[in-house]
Amino acid sequence: MTAIDFLSPGILQIKHQIRGILDSYSHDWDLIAELCQNAIDAIKARNHGRGHVVISIDATNAIIKVSDNGIGIENERLPSLMGPFSTSKSNDSSLVGEKGVGITFVIFSSDDFKISSRHMNADMAYLYSVNGARTWCQSDSNDQLMLTYRGNKFCEIGTEVEVVLKKDHPIFQLSMKELEFVLRTKTAVGDTGHIWGEPLDADCRVVRLGHDGKQDDIEFECAFLLPLSHLQKQEFVELDEYKLWRSEGDRSDADKRRRLHNKIVYYAGKKYQSGRQLRFWSCFVPQRAVWERMSDNFGLPRDMSESETGIELEVGFGSGLNTSTKGMPTGITLELKPKGSAGYVPNFFMIIEDPSLSFDIGRKAIQGRQQAMLREIAHDQFKEYINHVRKYMGGGLEETPKQWERDEVFSDIDAIPELGSGSSSFLKRPNGQEATVAGMFFDAMGRGLIKDIRPLVSGYKGRYDLYAKWGRKNVVIEFKYELSGLMKDFSDERKLFDEVDCVVLWEITEADRLLAKKRGIEVANTGSYFPHATASLSIPNVSALYVIELKSILLHN
Ligand SMILES: Nc1ncnc2c1ncn2[C@@H]1O[C@H](COP(=O)(O)OP(=O)(O)OP(=O)(O)O)[C@@H](O)[C@H]1O
Ligand SMILES: [Mg+2]
């Protein structure tokens, strides 16, 4: 018998694998973020005195250099660590690196790659280089790619990576302030430990040689750049302090307004969930224009469209749910869609630190279930601002905020499509609101369009929407704008089918049908049994759930 090693890959297979890694990255800041992540991991791993990261950006020659005084790389291990999926960090949960693809991404994005490193237990440094990796990876040739090396005697402990990139790489378009912003909000040198009172003892120096040949440099603590960093103390209020003040006396609305008017309210908290500690920092601004003022104060272009770069690096303070893990801002933001007050999402900023985020390769997405958990925490926090402070923050001091909001709300409502039905008192179509659906249902009842059902009570015990009589039968009715809303409420569909007799919806859309199908629910276009039902939902072995679609009743009558 002959044994063949059928798994060892050939050059073309490795190229394929590397291209997959390159494709998994999507942001303009990814390359510098990977280098910063490695530098900070190395500083943490060495755990010895103050850490220093130096980043040089040479726009004219398209060179980026990142150096650190971290643990360094053992010479014997270095070549294998440069290959895809090779990491030295699988046993250290305090470090961010895990997949061993960051350096691969850096090498194969560059035309010239050099890494010089001296491990803390070694007495000399080595310089390794790879030439033309980017073009090698793009070509379909079978040529090998080589790593060359030589000793490099008088180097300090630590690592320096130098890459030559494409001249038009967006990172070279950034001004110094923009660079600082990106580094401190989307990479590991913006360490979030500072927010929670566990600062990383490290600093970062950035030296930038612009297209104009001018050199400038800055230095900052490796600390995340919070939106309040450059504002005056009197411009913000801490949420708990406000609540305490509120509880200390009989505060009138005018008092509250005086205290919160045009202030930014912020809050830092933690939460234990799924066996780990999640920490967060959030703030809520009185007007969206405040973000611009923050960016202004920091020295960023007033408006992205005015920025000379015009590139896709969202540089500037703004709303959003940001994530970080083990001190590193991930650069990944999650979308928020709260049930109510969604119009205020652009006023809300939050960063959540989750020590066990799991990413895809390229760190551009977080695993779905973790996303849901983070969003829930953000929604709770958002609601805090909406419920306690929002209405006292904006508007004028004298006029009542209600008045101000009224006009805006009515103009929004103006844009909702007309109902145009002769058989309803309502003028507008429901626009996602369940309450409108319920109102329309009762109105239709009053107009004799819906017969045979006699309401008993609405919202009894807060469980179901309507308890009613149908002849001598007791029936339970739920109101929802759309089917998906209903299914969200019932994690256990069996319960829904067992306890509710009929759902009143605006309409069943194609999207609803698809969603229902995915969940094993069959939608039939007839509901003949229940009065006025236009459809029915069923799952195997349980009695059907009837659906009344108001749209078809009101618009086809
Ligand atoms: N600045 C550095 N200092 C010390 N070691 C480094 C440095 N940069 C890279 N390394 C070594 O090279 C290995 C590969 O780096 P790479 O960024 O590809 O992987 P990683 O950081 O372990 O994981 P990830 O893919 O999640 O970034 C690291 O595990 C580390 O051992
Ligand atoms: Mg890495």
Side-chain angles (χ1 to χ4, degrees), residues 100-150:
V101 297
I103 277 291
T104 308
F105 168 62
V106 173
I107 294 176
F108 293 93
S109 302
S110 68
D111 293 317
D112 197 8
F113 169 88
K114 288 194 181 69
I115 184 165
S116 158
S117 189
R118 178 175 155 198
H119 189 258
M120 67 174 191
N121 298 330
D123 49 15
M124 108 177 235
Y126 285 87
L127 171 70
Y128 289 77
S129 36
V130 183
N131 213 282
R134 191 167 62 87
T135 26
W136 174 86
C137 191
Q138 285 164 352
S139 85
D140 287 324
S141 85
N142 243 321
D143 298 345
Q144 286 193 314
L145 186 71
M146 292 300 183
L147 186 67
T148 55
Y149 84 105
R150 60 184 160 85

Side-chain angles (χ1 to χ4, degrees), residues 82-99:
M82 298 298 105
F85 301 106
S86 173
T87 178
S88 64
K89 303 173 190 170
S90 33
N91 294 325
D92 193 338
S93 64
S94 70
L95 306 180
V96 173
E98 51 170 12
K99 299 219 160 65

Side-chain angles (χ1 to χ4, degrees), residues 277-347:
Q277 187 190 54
L278 299 153
R279 294 178 288 193
F280 59 84
W281 188 97
S282 68
C283 72
F284 194 89
V285 299
Q287 300 91 22
R288 291 171 211 175
V290 170
W291 300 125
E292 267 178 46
R293 205 176 78 230
M294 286 175 181
S295 301
D296 240 24
N297 285 357
F298 184 69
L300 292 170
R302 173 167 276 283
D303 175 335
M304 275 308 284
S305 56
E306 271 178 39
S307 146
E308 281 170 23
T309 66
I311 53 168
E312 288 245 350
L313 274 162
E314 305 140 41
V315 184
F317 292 101
S319 64
L321 171 55
N322 301 272
T323 51
S324 87
T325 187
K326 298 169 189 171
M328 182 187 79
T330 63
I332 301 172
T333 53
L334 303 179
E335 210 189 329
L336 277 186
K337 283 188 192 146
K339 284 228 174 75
S341 306
Y344 288 98
V345 168
N347 297 48

Side-chain angles (χ1 to χ4, degrees), residues 25 34-35 37-43 66-68 70-74 77-78 81-90 96-106 115 117 158-161 363:
Y25 286 88
E34 287 299 344
L35 292 174
Q37 174 260 315
N38 286 347
I40 296 294
D41 272 357
I43 286 169
V66 176
S67 70
D68 64 73
I71 188 165
I73 308 174
E74 287 159 299
R77 295 192 67 187
L78 196 143
L81 286 171
M82 298 298 105
F85 301 106
S86 173
T87 178
S88 64
K89 303 173 190 170
S90 33
V96 173
E98 51 170 12
K99 299 219 160 65
V101 297
I103 277 291
T104 308
F105 168 62
V106 173
I115 184 165
S117 189
T159 304
E160 179 178 283
V161 175
R363 277 193 269 269

Side-chain angles (χ1 to χ4, degrees), residues 353-369:
E353 157 86 16
D354 180 345
S356 54
L357 283 187
S358 36
F359 306 102
D360 60 346
I361 290 172
R363 277 193 269 269
K364 66 174 191 286
I366 296 170
Q367 191 219 321
R369 203 175 302 163

Side-chain angles (χ1 to χ4, degrees), residues 418-429 440 443-444 447 449 506 550-557:
E418 306 289 328
L419 178 62
S421 163
S423 36
S424 176
S425 308
F426 279 75
L427 296 173
K428 294 285 188 182
R429 295 186 177 209
M440 285 178 164
D443 180 59
R447 289 166 168 263
L449 282 172
W506 173 241
L550 283 182
K551 186 179 177 185
S552 69
I553 293 181
L554 299 181
L555 295 182
H556 302 126
N557 237 291

